[in-house]
Amino acid sequence: MTKGVMFDFSGTLFRVASTAQWLDAFAASTGLGLPASERAELVRRLEEFGALPGGVPPRRIPADVQEAWQERDLTPQLHRTAYTALARAAEPPAALDVDALYDTHTAPASWRPYPDAGPVLRELRRRGVPVAVVSNIGWDLRPIFREHGLDELVDAYVLSFELGAQKPDPVIFEAACERLGLPPADVLMVGDDRTCDGGATALGCAFHPVDHLPVEQRPAALTPLLDLLS
Protein backbone atom coordinates (compact mmCIF):
# COMPACT_ATOMS: atom_id res chain seq x y z
CA MET A 1 0.00 0.00 0.00
CA THR A 2 1.31 3.45 -0.94
CA LYS A 3 1.87 5.59 2.15
CA GLY A 4 4.25 8.23 0.76
CA VAL A 5 5.04 9.90 -2.58
CA MET A 6 8.26 11.10 -4.20
CA PHE A 7 7.96 13.65 -6.99
CA ASP A 8 10.46 14.74 -9.60
CA PHE A 9 10.67 18.53 -10.08
CA SER A 10 11.19 19.64 -13.68
CA GLY A 11 8.64 18.25 -16.10
CA THR A 12 6.64 16.71 -13.26
CA LEU A 13 5.55 19.38 -10.78
CA PHE A 14 6.95 22.42 -12.59
CA ARG A 15 7.86 23.42 -16.13
CA VAL A 16 10.52 25.96 -17.05
CA ALA A 17 9.81 28.80 -19.49
CA SER A 18 10.38 28.13 -23.17
CA THR A 19 13.79 28.95 -24.62
CA ALA A 20 12.30 31.91 -26.46
CA GLN A 21 10.69 33.26 -23.27
CA TRP A 22 13.95 32.73 -21.36
CA LEU A 23 15.98 34.62 -23.94
CA ASP A 24 13.40 37.40 -24.32
CA ALA A 25 13.20 37.99 -20.56
CA PHE A 26 16.98 38.14 -20.33
CA ALA A 27 17.23 40.52 -23.29
CA ALA A 28 14.57 42.79 -21.80
CA SER A 29 16.25 42.89 -18.38
CA THR A 30 19.71 43.61 -19.77
CA GLY A 31 18.81 45.88 -22.69
CA LEU A 32 20.23 43.41 -25.18
CA GLY A 33 18.84 44.25 -28.59
CA LEU A 34 18.39 41.39 -31.03
CA PRO A 35 16.85 41.76 -34.50
CA ALA A 36 13.96 39.37 -35.02
CA SER A 37 15.84 37.12 -37.45
CA GLU A 38 18.90 36.95 -35.20
CA ARG A 39 16.71 36.21 -32.18
CA ALA A 40 14.91 33.37 -33.96
CA GLU A 41 18.19 31.83 -35.08
CA LEU A 42 19.70 32.12 -31.61
CA VAL A 43 16.65 30.43 -30.06
CA ARG A 44 17.06 27.60 -32.58
CA ARG A 45 20.75 27.16 -31.74
CA LEU A 46 20.18 27.34 -27.97
CA GLU A 47 17.60 24.57 -28.32
CA GLU A 48 19.89 22.53 -30.55
CA PHE A 49 22.48 22.52 -27.76
CA GLY A 50 19.92 22.28 -24.93
CA ALA A 51 21.31 25.35 -23.20
CA LEU A 52 18.24 25.94 -21.02
CA PRO A 53 18.22 23.62 -17.98
CA GLY A 54 14.89 21.82 -17.84
CA GLY A 55 14.07 22.89 -21.38
CA VAL A 56 14.56 21.17 -24.73
CA PRO A 57 17.15 18.39 -24.32
CA PRO A 58 20.34 18.85 -26.35
CA ARG A 59 20.50 17.33 -29.79
CA ARG A 60 24.25 17.99 -29.92
CA ILE A 61 26.77 17.98 -27.08
CA PRO A 62 30.34 19.05 -27.93
CA ALA A 63 32.95 16.44 -27.07
CA ASP A 64 34.66 18.71 -24.55
CA VAL A 65 31.39 19.13 -22.64
CA GLN A 66 30.48 15.44 -22.42
CA GLU A 67 32.13 14.76 -19.07
CA ALA A 68 30.59 17.78 -17.35
CA TRP A 69 27.24 16.93 -18.92
CA GLN A 70 27.21 13.40 -17.51
CA GLU A 71 27.93 14.67 -13.98
CA ARG A 72 26.22 18.06 -14.22
CA ASP A 73 23.79 17.49 -11.35
CA LEU A 74 26.40 16.47 -8.79
CA THR A 75 27.63 19.98 -7.97
CA PRO A 76 26.57 23.58 -8.70
CA GLN A 77 29.91 24.15 -10.43
CA LEU A 78 29.47 21.23 -12.83
CA HIS A 79 25.90 22.31 -13.58
CA ARG A 80 26.98 25.83 -14.44
CA THR A 81 29.99 24.61 -16.41
CA ALA A 82 27.91 22.23 -18.52
CA TYR A 83 25.09 24.61 -19.35
CA THR A 84 27.17 27.71 -19.97
CA ALA A 85 29.37 25.63 -22.28
CA LEU A 86 26.28 24.56 -24.20
CA ALA A 87 25.17 28.19 -24.43
CA ARG A 88 28.60 29.18 -25.80
CA ALA A 89 28.39 26.36 -28.33
CA ALA A 90 25.25 28.08 -29.67
CA GLU A 91 27.51 31.02 -30.59
CA PRO A 92 25.52 33.87 -29.02
CA PRO A 93 26.47 37.49 -29.77
CA ALA A 94 29.50 38.75 -27.85
CA ALA A 95 27.30 41.12 -25.83
CA LEU A 96 25.38 38.20 -24.31
CA ASP A 97 26.84 37.09 -20.96
CA VAL A 98 26.16 33.35 -20.81
CA ASP A 99 26.76 33.22 -17.05
CA ALA A 100 24.16 35.92 -16.47
CA LEU A 101 21.78 34.14 -18.86
CA TYR A 102 22.30 30.89 -16.93
CA ASP A 103 21.49 32.61 -13.62
CA THR A 104 18.07 33.74 -14.82
CA HIS A 105 16.76 30.19 -15.22
CA THR A 106 16.84 29.64 -11.43
CA ALA A 107 14.51 32.58 -10.76
CA PRO A 108 10.99 31.63 -9.56
CA ALA A 109 9.53 33.66 -12.42
CA SER A 110 11.13 31.22 -14.89
CA TRP A 111 9.04 28.31 -13.58
CA ARG A 112 5.32 27.53 -13.54
CA PRO A 113 3.63 24.72 -11.64
CA TYR A 114 1.48 22.35 -13.66
CA PRO A 115 -2.24 23.09 -13.09
CA ASP A 116 -2.84 20.07 -10.88
CA ALA A 117 0.44 20.23 -8.91
CA GLY A 118 -0.95 22.39 -6.14
CA PRO A 119 -4.31 20.60 -5.82
CA VAL A 120 -2.65 17.17 -5.73
CA LEU A 121 -0.06 18.23 -3.14
CA ARG A 122 -2.80 19.78 -1.00
CA GLU A 123 -4.91 16.65 -1.20
CA LEU A 124 -1.94 14.50 -0.20
CA ARG A 125 -1.35 16.77 2.79
CA ARG A 126 -5.05 16.53 3.71
CA ARG A 127 -4.79 12.75 3.63
CA GLY A 128 -1.63 12.77 5.73
CA VAL A 129 0.53 11.33 2.94
CA PRO A 130 4.14 12.58 3.25
CA VAL A 131 5.81 14.01 0.15
CA ALA A 132 9.43 14.27 -0.97
CA VAL A 133 10.79 16.12 -3.99
CA VAL A 134 13.63 14.10 -5.53
CA SER A 135 15.50 15.95 -8.24
CA ASN A 136 18.64 15.73 -10.33
CA ILE A 137 19.59 19.38 -10.09
CA GLY A 138 22.60 21.61 -9.54
CA TRP A 139 20.94 24.43 -7.59
CA ASP A 140 18.49 24.96 -4.75
CA LEU A 141 14.90 24.73 -6.00
CA ARG A 142 13.28 25.47 -2.62
CA PRO A 143 12.73 29.17 -3.48
CA ILE A 144 10.61 28.06 -6.46
CA PHE A 145 8.28 26.15 -4.16
CA ARG A 146 8.16 29.00 -1.64
CA GLU A 147 7.34 31.58 -4.30
CA HIS A 148 4.47 29.48 -5.61
CA GLY A 149 3.10 28.65 -2.16
CA LEU A 150 3.90 24.93 -2.31
CA ASP A 151 6.87 24.65 0.06
CA GLU A 152 4.68 23.91 3.10
CA LEU A 153 3.29 20.87 1.24
CA VAL A 154 6.70 19.20 0.87
CA ASP A 155 8.13 17.20 3.77
CA ALA A 156 11.61 16.59 2.34
CA TYR A 157 13.82 17.74 -0.52
CA VAL A 158 16.40 15.26 -1.78
CA LEU A 159 18.56 17.06 -4.33
CA SER A 160 21.39 15.43 -6.24
CA PHE A 161 23.87 18.26 -5.72
CA GLU A 162 23.37 18.11 -1.96
CA LEU A 163 23.46 14.32 -1.73
CA GLY A 164 26.22 13.71 -4.27
CA ALA A 165 24.16 11.08 -6.11
CA GLN A 166 22.01 11.28 -9.24
CA LYS A 167 18.93 9.35 -10.27
CA PRO A 168 18.69 6.49 -11.21
CA ASP A 169 21.23 5.65 -8.48
CA PRO A 170 19.19 3.86 -5.77
CA VAL A 171 21.05 5.91 -3.16
CA ILE A 172 18.97 9.00 -3.87
CA PHE A 173 15.65 7.15 -3.63
CA GLU A 174 16.77 5.34 -0.49
CA ALA A 175 17.63 8.69 1.12
CA ALA A 176 14.18 10.03 0.24
CA CYS A 177 12.41 7.00 1.70
CA GLU A 178 14.44 7.34 4.89
CA ARG A 179 13.47 10.99 5.22
CA LEU A 180 9.82 10.05 4.73
CA GLY A 181 10.24 7.35 7.36
CA LEU A 182 8.86 4.67 5.06
CA PRO A 183 10.15 1.48 3.41
CA PRO A 184 10.52 1.70 -0.40
CA ALA A 185 7.64 -0.73 -0.95
CA ASP A 186 5.31 1.86 0.60
CA VAL A 187 6.51 4.79 -1.53
CA LEU A 188 5.41 5.84 -5.02
CA MET A 189 7.80 7.70 -7.35
CA VAL A 190 6.22 10.13 -9.84
CA GLY A 191 8.31 11.51 -12.70
CA ASP A 192 8.69 12.21 -16.39
CA ASP A 193 11.92 10.29 -17.02
CA ARG A 194 11.31 6.55 -17.38
CA THR A 195 15.02 5.82 -16.87
CA CYS A 196 16.03 8.21 -14.11
CA ASP A 197 12.76 8.36 -12.18
CA GLY A 198 11.82 4.80 -13.04
CA GLY A 199 15.07 3.74 -11.37
CA ALA A 200 13.19 3.85 -8.08
CA THR A 201 11.64 0.48 -8.98
CA ALA A 202 15.03 -1.17 -8.44
CA LEU A 203 14.61 -0.31 -4.77
CA GLY A 204 11.07 -1.66 -4.65
CA CYS A 205 9.13 1.56 -5.13
CA ALA A 206 6.15 1.81 -7.46
CA PHE A 207 6.44 4.26 -10.38
CA HIS A 208 3.83 6.56 -11.94
CA PRO A 209 5.05 8.20 -15.20
CA VAL A 210 3.93 11.58 -16.52
CA ASP A 211 4.83 13.39 -19.73
CA HIS A 212 7.17 16.39 -19.82
CA LEU A 213 4.92 18.75 -21.78
CA PRO A 214 4.25 22.50 -21.81
CA VAL A 215 1.95 23.55 -18.98
CA GLU A 216 -0.95 24.27 -21.32
CA GLN A 217 -0.77 20.78 -22.83
CA ARG A 218 -0.81 18.80 -19.58
CA PRO A 219 -3.74 19.92 -17.44
CA ALA A 220 -4.30 16.87 -15.22
CA ALA A 221 -1.56 14.23 -15.47
CA LEU A 222 -0.95 14.14 -11.71
CA THR A 223 -4.56 13.86 -10.57
CA PRO A 224 -4.95 10.15 -11.51
CA LEU A 225 -2.27 9.14 -9.01
CA LEU A 226 -4.69 10.02 -6.20
CA ASP A 227 -6.69 6.95 -7.22
CA LEU A 228 -3.59 4.85 -6.54
CA LEU A 229 -3.71 6.00 -2.93
CA SER A 230 -7.40 5.32 -2.34
Side-chain angles (χ1 to χ4, degrees):
M1 178 180 177
T2 298
K3 298 179 181 177
V5 183
M6 300 183 288
F7 287 96
D8 174 50
F9 166 58
S10 175
T12 300
L13 291 175
F14 282 81
R15 169 82 182 208
V16 75
S18 70
T19 304
Q21 292 168 335
W22 176 53
L23 179 61
D24 289 347
F26 176 77
S29 67
T30 59
L32 177 67
L34 292 173
S37 59
E38 183 177 344
R39 169 198 173 275
E41 176 60 17
L42 180 55
V43 168
R44 186 194 68 77
R45 294 198 306 269
L46 288 169
E47 291 190 340
E48 179 179 0
F49 288 98
L52 171 60
V56 177
R59 296 188 291 274
R60 275 207 294 160
I61 301 175
D64 60 350
V65 186
Q66 283 286 352
E67 185 174 353
W69 174 256
Q70 292 300 322
E71 300 182 342
R72 65 192 181 280
D73 294 317
L74 290 177
T75 72
Q77 295 77 19
L78 283 170
H79 197 269
R80 177 181 291 273
T81 294
Y83 280 102
T84 55
L86 293 173
R88 290 188 186 94
E91 300 181 347
L96 191 155
D97 182 337
V98 295
D99 275 288
L101 177 63
Y102 169 89
D103 287 336
T104 62
H105 95 274
T106 67
S110 295
W111 294 86
R112 291 173 58 194
Y114 282 99
D116 57 347
V120 166
L121 290 175
R122 291 186 184 93
E123 176 60 17
L124 292 176
R125 177 53 52 95
R126 187 190 69 80
R127 296 185 187 185
V129 177
V131 165
V133 172
V134 184
S135 178
N136 282 354
I137 197 165
W139 48 275
D140 188 5
L141 51 73
R142 294 173 183 86
I144 307 293
F145 282 78
R146 287 196 292 269
E147 178 68 21
H148 291 277
L150 301 179
D151 179 62
E152 63 183 13
L153 304 175
V154 177
D155 298 282
Y157 293 94
V158 184
L159 311 181
S160 60
F161 82 95
E162 294 179 337
L163 190 66
Q166 301 179 127
K167 296 178 291 186
D169 188 333
V171 168
I172 195 167
F173 302 113
E174 187 172 19
C177 291
E178 288 176 355
R179 295 183 194 182
L180 293 178
L182 295 168
D186 290 345
V187 181
L188 173 69
M189 177 67 204
V190 182
D192 66 295
D193 190 314
R194 271 66 171 173
T195 299
C196 288
D197 299 318
T201 59
L203 201 64
C205 300
F207 175 54
H208 179 78
V210 295
D211 293 322
H212 189 153
L213 294 170
V215 169
E216 297 78 9
Q217 297 177 24
R218 211 198 73 184
L222 297 172
T223 303
L225 74 87
L226 294 175
D227 294 334
L228 302 177
L229 308 177
S230 300

